[in-house]
Each structure stands twice: as C-alpha cells, then as structure tokens.
Amino acid sequence: MQVSKRFLALLDQQLAQFTDRPDLRALVVYAALPGDNGRPTLMAIGHWPAALALRANASDGTDTGDGDEETDTRRWLALRDGSLLLGALRVDADQLPWPPALEARLEATARCLTEALRLDMDQQRLGRELARREDQLRLLVHQLRNPLAALRTFGQLLRRRLDGDDANLSLVDNLLHEQGQINRYLEAIEAIDQTSAPSLAAPGGPTPLLLPPGLHGDTPQPLAEILQPLLERAAATAKLQGRPWHGPSPSLPPWQGDGSAVAEILANLLENAFRYSRSGGPIGLLCQPCPAAAGAITLTVWDGGPEIPAEECARIFERGQRGSTGAGRPGSGLGLALGRELAEQLGGSLCLQTPPAALDPQNPDLPRSGNAFCLQLP
C-alpha cells in the first residue's frame, strides 16, 4: 500500500514532537496490508529517530528495528477504524508504565494518525474510482461520435432526396440541428476533461459558470434566433402528443443575450411542461416586455395543470427536489434548480406563477388552472 506525501509529512510532524522525551528510544508507524493467510501484514511507513534501521515489514509484530529481540518495554497502539485495522504505532520506551503525560500524547498521536490514514486511504480510493469513471466517460463520448456521425450522414442523404419537398425538409433540418446540439454537448464534456478543476471562488468574487465553457455563447444572439429551434421542437412534440400549442407573437422584441444559457433554461421548462402537465392539456410560450425595467423581457412557459401546490413552490427550485405532481415519473429534480441559477447568473430571475391567466387576464389562451414559469431577463 502507498500513502500520499501529505500523509507522510503529517506523520513526520507527529513523530518529531517527541524529541523532548529522552525516555523514548523509538517510534515506528506501520500500515496494515492484507496477508495471503488472511492475517494483516504490517509495513513500516515512518519512524523516529531518523537514524533508526528498519526491516520492510513486521507481519507478526517481531520487527525490532535495530536487530534486538522483543523487549518488555515495547508496546503497540492500534490504528483502528471501527473493526478495520489500518495500522499500528510501535513505541519503544525505557520503562513501563508510561508517565500519564506521555501516555496521553501517544494516544492522541495514534488517534490523529488513524484519522489521517483513513482519510488518505479514502482519498486514494476515490481517486482511483474517479479515474476509472473518467476513462469510461471518455470511451462513451468517443463511441457516441460514431452513431452521431452516421445520423448526420443519413440526414444529409435524406435531405438530398427530399429536395423541393419543403414540408419534410424542415423536419430533416430540425433533426440535423438536434444532432449538432448533441455534438456540442460532447465537445463540452471533452473540454471539461481537458481543463483543470476551477478553484473555489473567493467571497464576493465571480460566480463559477454553471454551464461548461463550450456551451456558453461569446456573441449575443437575437431572441428570434434563440427561440426558433425551441419553438419548432415544441410544436412537433405537441403534435405528437395531440395537445394544443400556443407560441409567442411573431413580433418579438429586439432583445439579445447569451443564447446558450437562455435556450438551456427554456428547454428545461418546456420539457417539464410536456412531461408533467395533464395529458392533452395546452402548453405555450409567452413573451412580454417588463414594465418595471426598460429593455427587459419575460419569457413564460405555461401549461394547463395540474397546479403545483403552494407549499411546494419554493422547494421545487432546490436541487434534487421534485413536486408531488411529478411523482412516479422519470426525472432528476435538477432542471428548475439549474434554470433559476442560470437566470440569476444572467442578472434575471425565474419564478412560478399560478394560474397562468393571472399574467394577462385579457389573453384568452392562458388557462385559469395550471402553472406558469416566468423567466425575466434584463
């Protein structure tokens, strides 16, 4: 078993504190290894004083370190985590019993080394598991590129055959667009793997990006450009589900911003609406200017119910939390939490309004029962 340099540095510091004890001859720290016969083998990983000569291991506790036989003044303190033996601290003293002050210091050192060794072993185990998962993720990303490339090829061939058939060409174009979106996600995953982990932000410092850099747009996009693929996807989903779809007015405001972040928020909201609202109920996207802030807009994804209970309105925006109306259906409880955090990162907000008709009582499309998730953008 190997221990980290950080643990060895801590070990040296712990043992060096006993230089003021002339009644101690030697201290040796061992790590426990599984033996072939089922009994642990102790391997020396640190000792004091530095000039002490050691054998590599002491499987039966007979290692003397200096060639002498076992003495009556040697004792062992187990480094034990519950029922698991992690190692041992060997103490060679001039006399027994130890003075109370020395005994307290040795026991405190044994406890410290036990906890540090446990944490060191956990860290190494998690590191190995993380490396294994990263290898698997890289393999999956690599393998996903093959069927995606095939889909793109077949889509392009189908597009050639449908030349002049505008109705079906738009479906193929949407398929090719979605294939390109998946490729962007794969590129973002690879970009994360190739960059070092970001340091923790200092208090009051910039908030870490919630989306990978590859999914953030450097150039502001017009609202119409952001909404077009989302609206086409929503209309197609509504048609397949046999439910009414109400898109926004064609005269969209001249708003521009981070298209990737806004699209991620709206895509999650629309997916939730189609997944959790009542079968056959209406769904829509409403775009309104914000009267309280010049140039600001509100994009609202609404559905016809069932309404989210009032006592759950705050909890559903927490990571891993889902409302009772979605119980028993697939989902991770991350979409609304990610949406709100992204909205706040953009300087806006995301909230729930019930019922949708309260947003505009004069709008006949807005139902008097249901949910409306309002994304306000500055």
Side-chain angles (χ1 to χ4, degrees), residues 11-279:
L11 188 155
D12 289 341
Q13 291 174 357
Q14 287 294 308
L15 298 186
Q17 67 173 304
F18 292 96
T19 54
D20 65 332
R21 299 296 309 200
D23 49 348
L24 287 180
R25 294 199 308 271
L27 297 172
V28 184
V29 177
Y30 297 88
L33 300 176
D36 295 335
N37 58 359
R39 297 177 58 189
T41 298
L42 297 178
M43 180 183 70
I45 56 176
H47 58 84
W48 172 89
L52 186 67
L54 291 171
R55 292 206 301 266
N57 59 65
S59 59
D60 55 4
T62 60
D63 178 25
T64 63
D66 54 8
D68 295 336
E69 296 299 327
E70 185 78 10
T71 67
D72 292 338
T73 55
R74 171 172 299 166
R75 291 294 182 268
W76 299 77
L77 296 176
L79 308 182
R80 190 182 296 277
D81 181 25
S83 61
L84 178 64
L85 180 66
L86 304 180
L89 170 61
R90 196 193 83 195
V91 183
D92 292 352
D94 285 337
Q95 61 179 357
L96 283 173
W98 300 323
L102 175 60
E103 182 175 8
R105 288 174 63 183
L106 288 170
E107 290 179 350
T109 298
R111 289 193 298 270
C112 175
L113 293 176
T114 299
E115 185 66 16
L117 187 57
R118 183 186 67 80
L119 292 174
D120 194 66
M121 293 173 62
D122 286 346
Q123 183 183 37
Q124 294 192 52
R125 177 181 56 80
L126 291 173
R128 291 191 297 269
E129 177 65 17
L130 180 60
R132 185 185 67 83
R133 294 193 178 194
E134 287 178 346
D135 287 341
Q136 290 182 337
L137 182 60
R138 280 192 289 268
L139 177 62
L140 288 173
V141 169
H142 178 270
Q143 293 303 102
L144 271 173
R145 291 197 177 279
N146 295 328
L148 282 174
L151 285 175
R152 178 175 177 81
T153 299
F154 291 139
Q156 290 172 335
L157 290 174
L158 183 59
R159 198 181 192 288
R160 291 181 184 178
R161 292 189 181 185
L162 294 175
D163 189 22
D165 186 349
D166 293 339
N168 288 319
L169 271 179
S170 64
L171 294 176
V172 177
D173 288 339
N174 287 337
L175 287 174
L176 291 173
H177 173 80
E178 297 298 333
Q179 184 270 341
Q181 286 291 93
I182 297 175
N183 263 336
R184 290 185 65 218
Y185 282 111
L186 294 181
E187 290 168 1
I189 293 173
E190 289 182 333
I192 292 176
D193 187 48
Q194 294 169 2
T195 57
S196 59
S199 58
L200 293 175
T207 304
L209 295 178
L210 293 167
L211 291 179
L215 293 180
H216 269 276
D218 295 330
T219 304
Q221 288 182 270
L223 182 61
E225 184 179 316
I226 299 170
L227 294 183
Q228 180 182 356
L230 294 170
L231 297 178
E232 291 177 351
R233 185 193 305 176
T237 304
K239 185 176 181 180
L240 284 175
Q241 294 186 2
R243 65 166 77 211
W245 162 251
H246 301 271
S249 167
S251 57
L252 294 172
W255 185 92
Q256 293 190 354
D258 188 338
S260 296
V262 173
E264 288 294 324
I265 300 170
L266 293 177
N268 279 320
L269 296 178
L270 287 167
E271 175 68 18
N272 285 350
F274 280 109
R275 179 180 296 175
Y276 299 124
S277 64
R278 64 179 175 85
S279 178

Side-chain angles (χ1 to χ4, degrees), residues 266 269 284-288 298-302 359 371-375:
L266 293 177
L269 296 178
L285 175 63
L286 180 66
C287 180
Q288 298 171 300
T298 298
L299 298 170
T300 302
V301 175
W302 57 266
L359 297 171
N371 309 286
F373 289 90
C374 306
L375 170 63

